[in-house]
Amino acid sequence: MQRTEGNIEHELKGAIKSYLSQVDVDARLQQALAGGYTKAAVENDLLGDLEQSGFIDELIDEFNINSDMKRRKKLPETRDENKPSVAHPNINYLRRQLLVQVHTGKAFTSHLLDQPTLPGHTPPTYTLHLSFRGQRFRSQPTPCSDEPNIRESFLLELHLNDNKDKMLDVTELLSIGDKIHMVLVKTDPNSDTHLISSQYLEYRTVLSSPTGKRSLSVEMMGIGTESSISVGIIELTMSIIPQPDVLPPEVIEEQLKMEKSYQAERDRLFLVYTKQWWREFLQIRPLHSSRLVKLYAQDENQVNRPVCSYVQPLRCGRLLENPRQAARFVSLIKYNKPAVVGSGERTEQWCSLHSLLAANRGDVENHACLLASILLGYGLNAYVCLGTKNKSSPHAWVVTIGPEDGAVTFWESLSSNRYIHKAPTVNGMLLNPPPTPKHPYRTVGCVFNHKSFYANVQTSDEVTFADFDLENTGLWKSMTTDAISSVCSPSVSWMAMPPLQRPLYDASTESNKMEIELRHMVSEYREGEGLSTAFDDQCSYMLSMALSAYETERITGQPFGNEEFSQSVTYSIPEGHTFKAYPIHFPYVNARRSFAAVIKSKTCSDVLLCRGDHVKLAVRVCVYPYPESAVATWIMFACRYQSIM
């Protein structure tokens, strides 16, 4: 049935009436007029909201209104690059949503000490990451400058999981105490990332705005020891769509004050409990004071948080298929121990999970907490261990304990290695001296997860002799579950676990692109030595088998596919020729940076600068993307030649 002009007019009126009832236009007009606004001003404001929300665009698309009407609109169809996009394609007027529009950045200084960007190199960039109620967003990279042109619109869902089909009223919105976590990351031309700022933004102040929106200048502070220094200002606007009833500012202030007071009281009671617990721990044995037992740790904003709060069960959906693949993913996140400005000393800094994932780098404690969270998500009985490794340096790793046999497995988060732990006993008697352990861990002071904390009270804290029967009070001193849950509830903003995001890289595209670049570099490198270059495509293709076997071995811990690769080399290399190869692995995708690293190796130089008769070279790149920015890049350089006598 075709639409007639009368039907279209009737449907248009119905759609507009439905929208106006959702935004409660009558109450809004009465409130604005009572506040001294003119009727014309209110009408203009409402028309602006209709344009901003994209409602008019939806009507135009729905009813096939011709382009003449589009030209009559107040706003042009093309996007003005000097203004942020105000409409968002995913706005749903049947649900409460929070539209965060970032306009620009001001007074940013972290790039001033950077080296000038060379021609052909990618300039350093800023990327803004947002996390809110299990949702994550990321802006497009923006070149670093004093006023970075960060212009993005983020649409955040406000609905509770159990009320998705119900429009939240203003009272329910006021009860949602989650904050927006804003993380600013800087990426260097060599693909290195740096955590610049981590801020929590309270959105509920917009509930007191008569227009349903509020403009803010968010001062982004530094991290760690620089948390009191501003790194820049981000100008943004927050809008709740559809607009709810307006709350008086004093109501919101009272709610925020009450929540802050409640959290402070919980923190105070937990502190009182931990002080008493610590006194009891030291009374058991005075030597316990030297054991690595940590109850609190500072995050990137220098806020002291219970260590248990850094761990929460994290499910990976279909991004990671099993715990061993998850361990490989965590090991690919860059290891970085922050340094104190003005000295060569390293400082301990535990980051929130969102900051760790956004920056794709963190200290060993961050790696261990992330791995433990993922293993807990898989249903394993996982804990973070704090202790020391060889040479007595502080270290963190993960332990999983079997439910029936109590089998103990250590997981090294920086390398994805696994170690089976068994106390060196014969007929229940400890061996003295014990055999040399295969793992690198020396002592263990405590273990913890999101529900439990246990301190080691055994006679010796050496890992070799440690018994991981955590329920044995003669071996481990525990905290009460109620005390831990009081300060580690998921309702606390920094306890919310953000989901993992899909890989950034396409494996085939990145592998081919990097391989072509490396071929050019190899040719130029040999040309500088007065050597010509010829590539063997078949040999390059064969190298994929070896690289795949290397990555599989990193995941499973078992060699795989080497037999087939050896057979192919034996069959394909001509008689009388010599075959040499050099494999290497990098946790990034950057051809220039990778080549600069490999030519420092004498073994690789011997392959690349091979001399002889019938010399053919081969290059193969295999990029294995993982969630977030994590990536395993395997490169193999090979050559075959006939020796000259």
Side-chain angles (χ1 to χ4, degrees):
M1 179 178 178
Q2 294 185 343
R3 285 173 167 171
T4 64
E5 184 175 347
N7 288 337
I8 292 177
E9 181 179 359
H10 178 73
E11 292 181 28
L12 273 171
K13 288 181 178 179
I16 294 173
K17 182 177 180 180
S18 175
Y19 174 83
L20 294 179
S21 64
Q22 292 175 20
V23 299
D24 201 2
V25 66
D26 291 336
R28 185 170 171 184
L29 279 169
Q30 293 176 6
Q31 184 178 25
L33 292 173
Y37 293 93
T38 65
K39 182 177 180 181
V42 176
E43 290 176 349
N44 289 334
D45 184 53
L46 286 171
L47 289 173
D49 281 356
L50 287 172
E51 286 284 358
Q52 175 174 326
S53 66
F55 176 70
I56 291 179
D57 290 327
E58 291 184 4
L59 288 180
I60 290 173
D61 293 337
E62 171 68 20
F63 296 101
N64 297 318
I65 299 175
N66 59 34
S67 58
D68 290 338
M69 179 170 288
K70 289 185 180 181
R71 285 194 292 270
R72 295 191 202 112
K73 292 169 58 182
K74 293 171 64 179
L75 297 179
E77 288 185 79
T78 57
R79 176 181 174 180
D80 185 350
E81 293 300 329
N82 295 321
K83 296 181 180 179
S85 175
V86 293
H88 196 284
N90 296 326
I91 288 179
N92 183 348
Y93 299 102
L94 300 178
R95 310 164 58 82
R96 298 285 187 201
Q97 296 172 306
L98 178 65
L99 181 63
V100 179
Q101 297 172 263
V102 181
H103 304 299
T104 188
K106 294 181 179 179
F108 280 83
T109 58
S110 69
H111 66 285
L112 296 179
L113 298 178
D114 292 343
Q115 297 293 330
T117 304
L118 299 175
H121 287 238
T122 305
T125 59
Y126 288 130
T127 305
L128 182 64
H129 297 254
L130 265 64
S131 175
F132 179 74
R133 307 199 78 199
Q135 306 162 73
R136 289 182 60 196
F137 306 88
R138 177 177 53 230
S139 72
Q140 292 296 320
T142 302
C144 294
S145 67
D146 295 345
E147 297 185 358
N149 190 31
I150 305 176
R151 299 180 183 276
E152 295 284 348
S153 292
F154 306 104
L155 192 64
L156 284 59
E157 290 285 349
L158 288 167
H159 274 240
L160 299 172
N161 293 332
D162 55 351
N163 285 323
K164 287 188 175 182
D165 298 327
K166 175 178 176 291
M167 180 73 75
L168 298 178
D169 59 30
V170 69
T171 304
E172 292 171 313
L173 293 175
L174 184 62
S175 67
I176 300 176
D178 303 69
K179 292 182 174 60
I180 302 172
H181 190 198
M182 303 174 61
V183 174
L184 186 68
V185 173
K186 178 184 173 184
T187 305
D188 290 339
N190 63 0
S191 302
D192 265 350
T193 54
H194 307 276
L195 180 62
I196 301 299
S197 180
S198 169
Q199 293 293 118
Y200 290 93
L201 178 63
E202 176 60 65
Y203 83 92
R204 287 175 290 181
T205 55
V206 74
L207 296 175
S208 65
S209 172
T211 60
K213 60 179 132 179
R214 183 177 295 276
S215 297
L216 299 171
S217 296
V218 181
E219 187 172 20
M220 304 296 288
M221 310 302 289
I223 62 170
T225 56
E226 302 175 24
S227 58
S228 60
I229 301 174
S230 174
V231 298
I233 297 172
I234 290 181
E235 302 282 352
L236 57 83
T237 300
M238 294 190 297
S239 310
I240 294 183
I241 301 173
Q243 182 188 353
D245 296 334
V246 180
L247 286 176
E250 53 270 19
V251 173
I252 300 175
E253 292 175 5
E254 186 63 29
Q255 175 72 16
L256 298 180
K257 181 180 178 181
M258 180 184 66
E259 292 176 357
K260 184 177 180 180
S261 175
Y262 178 63
Q263 182 61 43
E265 179 63 15
R266 292 198 302 182
D267 292 342
R268 186 189 69 81
L269 293 175
F270 184 73
L271 179 60
V272 171
Y273 171 79
T274 55
K275 285 183 176 181
Q276 177 62 31
W277 183 94
W278 181 255
R279 282 193 294 267
E280 295 172 355
F281 175 66
L282 296 182
Q283 288 172 0
I284 296 174
R285 193 176 289 110
L287 290 177
H288 286 175
S289 60
S290 62
R291 295 188 177 182
L292 191 52
V293 177
K294 183 180 288 292
L295 305 179
Y296 290 88
Q298 281 191 348
D299 65 10
E300 67 269 28
N301 295 320
Q302 288 199 313
V303 175
N304 281 319
R305 292 167 42 182
V307 292
C308 295
S309 69
Y310 290 89
V311 180
Q312 277 289 320
L314 177 61
R315 296 173 61 181
C316 305
R318 299 186 183 275
L319 298 179
L320 296 170
E321 297 177 351
N322 55 68
R324 297 196 185 189
Q325 193 178 48
R328 175 62 172 153
F329 155 65
V330 174
S331 71
L332 291 170
I333 296 177
K334 300 179 184 67
Y335 167 65
N336 174 68
K337 195 170 184 64
V340 178
V341 176
S343 72
E345 296 181 0
R346 297 284 182 171
T347 182
E348 183 180 285
Q349 178 179 289
W350 295 34
C351 289
S352 62
L353 178 58
H354 181 223
S355 296
L356 171 68
L357 296 175
N360 191 37
R361 65 166 54 208
D363 209 339
V364 63
E365 292 86 1
N366 299 129
H367 285 75
C369 289
L370 174 58
L371 179 56
S373 296
I374 296 177
L375 297 184
L376 286 167
Y378 280 115
L380 297 179
N381 186 26
Y383 303 85
V384 175
C385 294
L386 296 183
T388 61
K389 59 181 180 179
N390 296 335
K391 299 183 180 179
S392 301
S393 57
H395 194 63
W397 67 98
V398 177
V399 60
T400 54
I401 304 174
E404 296 180 357
D405 56 359
V408 176
T409 304
F410 295 148
W411 302 66
E412 176 51 56
S413 60
L414 297 182
S415 65
S416 75
N417 291 335
R418 299 167 67 252
Y419 308 95
I420 304 301
H421 170 71
K422 290 183 179 180
T425 60
V426 175
N427 297 325
M429 301 294 293
L430 289 173
L431 293 178
N432 192 14
T436 302
K438 295 181 179 180
H439 59 72
Y441 316 120
R442 181 181 176 186
T443 66
V444 56
C446 63
V447 300
F448 64 88
N449 59 21
H450 63 303
K451 291 183 177 180
S452 308
F453 185 96
Y454 299 93
N456 186 1
V457 296
Q458 299 171 60
T459 305
S460 172
D461 62 351
E462 290 189 28
V463 176
T464 304
F465 301 107
D467 186 332
F468 282 83
D469 180 7
L470 301 181
E471 300 304 319
N472 188 331
T473 57
L475 303 176
W476 299 89
K477 178 174 174 56
S478 65
M479 283 189 177
T480 65
T481 303
D482 291 341
I484 294 174
S485 62
S486 69
V487 291
C488 297
S489 169
S491 62
V492 181
S493 289
W494 34 256
M495 280 294 295
M497 300 298 281
L500 297 183
Q501 292 185 327
R502 292 190 299 270
L504 292 179
Y505 302 102
D506 177 75
S508 299
T509 302
E510 295 297 335
S511 298
N512 290 333
K513 177 182 175 183
M514 195 169 176
E515 190 170 307
I516 292 172
E517 292 177 354
L518 286 174
R519 283 197 175 201
H520 286 302
M521 294 176 189
V522 170
S523 299
E524 293 176 355
Y525 184 59
R526 287 177 58 85
E527 184 179 353
E529 298 294 328
L531 301 173
S532 61
T533 306
F535 289 99
D536 185 337
D537 291 337
Q538 175 60 27
C539 184
S540 296
Y541 179 71
M542 289 177 356
L543 299 181
S544 293
M545 289 187 288
L547 298 182
S548 175
Y550 294 147
E551 182 61 19
T552 302
E553 185 174 358
R554 290 293 180 96
I555 295 174
T556 64
Q558 300 295 328
F560 173 82
N562 291 329
E563 181 180 351
E564 291 83 358
F565 175 63
S566 298
Q567 291 175 359
S568 67
V569 170
T570 302
Y571 180 78
S572 303
I573 301 302
E575 186 177 352
H577 284 64
T578 301
F579 175 81
K580 294 195 299 186
Y582 177 79
I584 193 169
H585 163 264
F586 296 102
Y588 51 80
V589 178
N590 189 307
R592 190 184 302 273
R593 182 180 176 187
S594 301
F595 193 72
V598 299
I599 59 176
K600 295 178 181 178
S601 167
K602 184 180 184 306
T603 304
C604 184
S605 296
D606 290 343
V607 172
L608 296 180
L609 300 179
C610 174
R611 299 171 185 267
D613 196 14
H614 302 293
V615 175
K616 289 290 184 72
L617 285 101
V619 180
R620 194 62 170 176
V621 178
C622 290
V623 174
Y624 297 94
Y626 286 83
E628 304 296 332
S629 304
V631 62
T633 301
W634 284 97
I635 305 173
M636 181 175 278
F637 299 96
C639 67
R640 66 172 178 87
Y641 62 95
Q642 190 172 20
S643 300
I644 301 176
M645 302 302 293

